[in-house]
Amino acid sequence: MCGISGWWQSTPLDAKANERLDAMLETLHHRGPDGRGQHLDPARGVAMGHTRLSIIDLNTGDQPLFDTRGDNVLTANGEFYAYKRIRAQLVCDGERFATKADSEIALPLYRRHGLDFVEHLRGEFAFALFDAQAERLILVRDRFGIKPLYLHASDALCVWGSELKSILAHPAIEARLDPRATLHQMMQTMAPGSTAFAGIEALLPGHFAIIERREGKLHCRTHRYWDADFPREGEHSDADDPSQIARVRDGLLEAVQLRLEADVPVGCYLSGGIDSCSILGLASAVQQSEVKAYTIAFDHADYDESHIAAEMAAATGADQVKITLGAKELYGRSFERTMWHTERTFYNTLGVAKWHMSRTVRDSGYKVVVTGEGSDELFGGYPFFKRDLYLHASDDSLREKHLEALRRSNAVFEGSILSADTSAHPSFDARLGFTPSWIQPWIQTLAFTRPLLSAALREELADYDPIAAIAESLDPAMLEGRHALDRVQYSWIKTMLEGQILTWGGDRVDMANSMESRPAFLDHHLAEAAFRIPPSLRIRDNREKWVLREAMRGVLPKVLYEREKFAFMAPPSHTDLDKRREIEQLAARHLSPTAI
């Protein structure tokens, strides 16, 4: 787990290129405090940099890495799993390696398979590979977007980085807000691939960018190498096949086992939900030794699940570390620091809570944890998935019964997780056949957002529809002929999973404290098996993630096995006076006429 940044320009590098690159890498020091490396190719105009968080091959794994048989150079962020098996296969074919690092396998795989080499990579990653012979730069992002990667591209200059701040540190890049992004940032839903800054894009998950020099100019194109491909209706696995449960269990076990591979200790995040409890249960069984488990507790009973987490920790014999967070921890300087790391706005202080948690992990001597993100996306865990499933059910009486039960059990989240009133949008209706429940609170938020814009900006954005921009980013070919639940899950995976959960709730607040998180459920082998599970087994008898519950029945405490999904959120500021005061102080500091 590391940070990468660099650039390729159409003209040779000047004498200060190394200083410029070092300034870019300095902005990523938190991502890699254990080492820093550069590769400069002045004649070709290439500068590649790396900041290292050493987890695998602590002694010889410094980057950049160089192909032992060619001119290819690699800087990588993240993890390639099953790398030992791949290394052994390549060695049997005559390959030789200079390090024991997992990242090095990408170089011979690229030489052997060309651009198809990404098909052989398993894990969470973002990397840059420069092929000097072909004068080709390849930027690759993992299938779900667990690891971030941003890009500015023109015919004279291509700049990339793990975080926006590293790109903005290049003197040729202007820090200028994108007017459209202003609207998205305020209403809290990002258009896939966009950022807050004009001229800088996020490389989409499951994509790579190919930059080539032709006739003295740089040409950039992107290619999608993977997508969340749900079967067409009628093509799912057989709902009566009892092996469905075993496949989920085996797939998750393998994913957890792979993510325990490290040359440093590996712990687990532990909330009171099925997902993290399943991870801890399997990790404890695999390691057959005490696992360090980290839990967040909140000072508001309606949002606190730590008592269930404690039960799971006791059942597995885990060494649990619990932190309790209140107004002082969730706002003030912690809030400001978290926003600096996330590089975007956020509507709940969950990200601040996760920032505190990653700092606790590092303070305890650990820098790797396995986490439960992605389970809800694969197995239909969110309340809005259930609502859309029931809205499209054929049995009217059953539909109303389940919808009413859903409203009651999620009353605390009304207006955020589930909208109080229904909304529709023509672009989503055209793409999905209906407007999914997850986007409806943000459609309603848009009505409050536009009046806050200046008159000039309102006029400039009068014809821009941010909801349409999100809907139209979805590939119709991946939605056509799919079950309603599959369509909703796909739309969420392509938008909010990457833009919210894996950024300000994941990588950015974990790496802020030089700590790597590994979401086992987002192993693409497990995901591809989950996509084929019939909707009737994902949500069955009003129980979300039914097939996962059954797969983990022997691992989970009874109270958790029987419990309905509870969204992991921090208590909002309106829940008590102390939090209200804290956010008012932040507003006074940053939103006063003088500050603005």
Side-chain angles (χ1 to χ4, degrees):
M1 189 61 62
C2 310
I4 63 171
S5 194
W7 75 91
W8 186 13
Q9 62 189 50
S10 58
T11 57
L13 299 179
D14 61 31
K16 292 190 175 181
N18 63 324
E19 296 177 18
R20 194 172 303 128
L21 181 56
D22 196 58
M24 295 167 69
L25 295 176
E26 183 61 30
T27 69
L28 302 177
H29 178 75
H30 54 281
R31 296 189 69 91
D34 298 334
R36 188 176 298 185
Q38 294 188 2
H39 169 69
L40 300 176
D41 187 339
R44 293 186 175 90
V46 175
M48 301 173 69
H50 184 267
T51 62
R52 187 182 186 206
L53 181 63
S54 54
I55 290 173
I56 292 176
D57 187 9
L58 308 184
N59 298 319
T60 65
D62 292 339
Q63 297 190 33
L65 295 167
F66 301 89
D67 192 338
T68 57
R69 294 190 184 181
D71 297 324
N72 304 327
V73 187
L74 175 77
T75 54
N77 167 31
E79 304 291 348
F80 298 145
Y81 298 120
Y83 74 96
K84 289 181 178 178
R85 177 182 55 80
I86 295 173
R87 276 175 62 98
Q89 291 172 340
L90 291 169
V91 167
C92 289
D93 290 340
E95 293 288 350
R96 294 295 178 262
F97 292 86
T99 75
K100 295 291 186 181
D102 59 300
S103 300
E104 194 177 359
I105 64 171
L107 290 164
L109 288 174
Y110 168 71
R111 184 166 19 86
R112 286 166 175 254
H113 302 288
L115 295 177
D116 289 337
F117 79 125
V118 293
E119 305 291 344
H120 299 265
L121 299 175
R122 181 177 188 174
E124 51 268 1
F125 48 79
F127 62 86
L129 192 157
F130 185 71
D131 182 337
Q133 196 170 41
E135 289 207 281
R136 171 198 284 168
L137 173 69
I138 305 163
L139 303 175
V140 184
R141 195 172 181 201
D142 66 61
R143 294 165 177 84
F144 285 102
I146 301 165
K147 296 293 103 191
L149 189 57
Y150 299 97
L151 174 67
H152 163 86
S154 70
D155 60 8
L157 177 67
C158 170
V159 187
W160 68 89
S162 295
E163 296 183 10
L164 294 167
K165 56 182 70 68
S166 68
I167 297 177
L168 295 173
H170 191 286
I173 306 301
E174 179 185 4
R176 182 168 52 88
L177 288 173
D178 185 328
R180 295 171 301 175
T182 304
L183 196 53
H184 282 283
Q185 294 277 343
M186 292 177 68
M187 65 173 290
Q188 292 293 309
T189 49
M190 305 300 294
S194 68
T195 73
F197 295 93
I200 305 177
E201 298 180 348
L203 183 61
L204 290 171
H207 282 66
F208 52 76
I210 306 165
I211 301 95
E212 296 173 307
R213 191 204 302 269
R214 294 197 298 271
E215 298 178 352
K217 293 184 178 180
L218 302 179
H219 298 264
C220 179
R221 59 188 172 94
T222 59
H223 173 74
R224 184 177 71 188
Y225 68 89
W226 189 88
D227 206 353
D229 190 0
F230 287 87
R232 291 176 174 271
E233 283 208 76
E235 296 179 359
H236 292 89
S237 300
D238 184 359
D240 296 325
D241 181 0
S243 66
Q244 300 259 23
I245 294 170
R247 281 200 293 272
V248 170
R249 183 189 303 117
D250 293 344
L252 182 57
L253 175 57
E254 182 183 40
V256 170
Q257 191 168 6
L258 287 171
R259 281 156 184 79
L260 293 173
E261 175 74 36
D263 294 332
V264 295
V266 179
C268 292
Y269 274 163
L270 177 64
S271 70
I274 291 172
D275 315 326
S276 64
C277 288
S278 297
I279 297 296
L280 177 61
L282 294 175
S284 299
V286 168
Q287 292 198 168
Q288 296 185 355
S289 61
E290 185 179 73
V291 177
K292 188 82 83 173
Y294 299 89
T295 299
I296 295 171
F298 294 116
D299 63 351
H300 193 295
D302 286 349
Y303 295 85
D304 184 39
E305 299 180 290
S306 62
H307 59 289
I308 298 177
E311 185 172 336
M312 186 67 196
T316 58
D319 177 14
Q320 186 182 27
V321 177
K322 185 175 81 169
I323 60 171
T324 302
L325 303 176
K328 293 296 183 184
E329 293 81 20
L330 294 175
Y331 295 95
R333 296 301 179 190
S334 298
F335 186 101
E336 294 168 336
R337 188 65 182 172
T338 301
M339 183 163 287
W340 185 83
H341 281 289
T342 61
E343 300 176 329
R344 60 154 292 176
T345 57
F346 44 80
Y347 63 90
N348 183 264
T349 52
L350 166 63
V352 186
K354 293 285 293 293
W355 178 82
H356 280 288
M357 179 57 83
S358 66
R359 187 173 65 170
T360 301
V361 173
R362 280 310 305 257
D363 288 347
S364 72
Y366 278 60
K367 54 182 174 181
V368 185
V369 294
V370 186
T371 72
E373 285 92 354
S375 171
D376 292 309
E377 283 73 17
L378 299 185
F379 298 106
Y382 291 116
F384 39 74
F385 290 162
K386 290 172 78 172
R387 177 196 255 180
D388 288 339
L389 178 67
Y390 297 148
L391 285 172
H392 290 85
S394 56
D395 188 327
D396 292 343
S397 61
L398 195 61
R399 178 172 62 244
E400 289 306 315
K401 173 185 173 182
H402 286 331
L403 287 172
E404 179 56 33
L406 189 64
R407 280 189 290 268
R408 289 196 305 270
S409 61
N410 286 272
V412 70
F413 299 120
E414 187 176 75
S416 56
I417 298 295
L418 290 175
S419 59
D421 303 310
T422 58
S423 302
H425 192 282
S427 293
F428 267 103
D429 288 348
R431 271 290 194 272
L432 270 73
F434 58 94
T435 300
S437 292
W438 70 261
I439 192 68
Q440 293 184 28
W442 310 119
I443 294 175
Q444 292 163 24
T445 302
L446 179 61
F448 295 98
T449 299
R450 282 195 187 274
L452 298 175
L453 302 176
S454 68
L457 194 53
R458 274 203 308 273
E459 182 178 356
E460 181 178 352
L461 297 175
D463 296 328
Y464 179 68
D465 185 343
I467 305 298
I470 295 167
E472 291 165 8
S473 73
L474 304 173
D475 185 354
M478 305 305 292
L479 296 164
E480 184 181 353
R482 269 68 172 190
H483 188 279
L485 182 60
D486 293 342
R487 280 176 272 160
V488 174
Q489 288 182 225
Y490 179 83
S491 68
W492 174 269
I493 286 170
K494 302 304 290 185
T495 53
M496 299 295 271
L497 172 63
E498 184 266 346
Q500 172 182 303
I501 293 169
L502 298 177
T503 50
W504 63 260
D507 171 88
R508 307 305 285 280
V509 288
D510 291 327
M511 289 301 291
N513 290 298
S514 310
M515 194 220 73
E516 172 178 290
S517 55
R518 299 174 169 184
F521 282 101
L522 293 180
D523 183 280
H524 78 280
H525 290 263
L526 174 61
E528 288 168 357
F531 296 154
R532 300 200 62 79
I533 294 171
S536 62
L537 297 188
R538 281 177 250 155
I539 301 175
R540 179 171 176 173
D541 299 329
N542 200 30
R543 180 164 289 187
E544 71 284 348
K545 297 189 282 195
W546 179 87
V547 67
L548 177 63
R549 290 173 192 266
E550 294 304 308
M552 295 290 103
R553 182 194 282 265
V555 172
L556 301 172
K558 183 179 179 182
V559 63
L560 193 54
Y561 169 79
E562 295 178 347
R563 186 170 181 251
E564 186 178 8
K565 162 72 180 178
F566 186 85
F568 184 55
M569 291 179 65
S573 61
H574 68 259
T575 54
D576 67 62
L577 189 58
D578 287 342
K579 294 182 180 65
R580 184 69 183 179
R581 288 196 189 104
E582 288 290 339
I583 202 165
E584 286 173 350
Q585 289 176 19
L586 278 169
R589 186 152 64 243
H590 295 288
L591 300 180
S592 69
T594 302
I596 291 174

